[in-house]
Amino acid sequence: MAAVALVATAGARTTLLVPLDAEPSWRDLAYLAAIPASEAVNPGGASLIALDAAGVGPEMKDYARRYRAQAVVVLGDAARAKAAQNGWPIPSARFSSLPVTSAEQASLALSRRFWTKSPSVVVCRAEDYASALIAASVAARVKAPLIYLGPRGLSPAATAEIRRLQAREVIAIGTPAPGLGRSRVTLSTSLEVMQWARN
């Protein structure tokens, strides 16, 4: 079930930076969607950093010096990317941004950036943080994008993205959602997820 990662970074080490808010927000879900994206673009292991208001601190600088990413993708607007770049200790790293304003937008932007196609996609409701935690792990395990659903199920944009990916299987985590009219696996509980992963 290996996904095909986009060749935008051509084998370059890529670090994803996700700015987080002081209080819980949609950015926490964006961070979870970035986990499988970072796994897909870095086959040897993910490189993902959560940025708080303090920006790039000494621990992050130490990590950046050791990891030496050639590309850094900031899940935020150009201003956030510029602020992160100013504190980054590797001047040769290529910075880019994915400007998003919701969990669903973040998941779709990551999918478009890091996958040309994928036999599977993992979906869960954006308002269900507990399921999103599990969904991020499942998506990373199968190297598939994590796409968030709205209260009414798949949005037209999410449907179009799943079609673009040519996904044959949708793995739904948590409460079953309407609008998943394709081959799907619904995993409603942690036990079901563990049994599915074991199999």
Side-chain angles (χ1 to χ4, degrees), residues 68-159:
R68 303 197 63 79
Q70 291 99 354
V72 180
V73 179
V74 180
L75 203 57
D77 58 27
R80 285 184 186 256
K82 187 68 173 166
Q85 187 172 6
N86 288 339
W88 202 250
I90 310 295
S92 61
R94 295 182 317 275
F95 269 71
S96 61
S97 64
L98 293 176
V100 292
T101 57
S102 71
E104 182 188 14
Q105 278 186 13
S107 67
L108 294 173
L110 289 163
S111 178
R112 288 184 202 109
R113 176 73 182 260
F114 295 111
W115 282 271
T116 54
K117 60 183 176 178
S118 177
S120 302
V121 291
V122 177
V123 299
C124 77
R125 292 182 183 275
E127 68 272 12
D128 185 355
Y129 185 78
S131 291
L133 285 169
I134 297 169
S137 297
V138 170
R141 177 89 170 101
V142 299
K143 297 200 177 351
L146 168 56
I147 295 177
Y148 291 116
L149 305 172
R152 295 186 181 138
L154 282 174
S155 68
T159 301

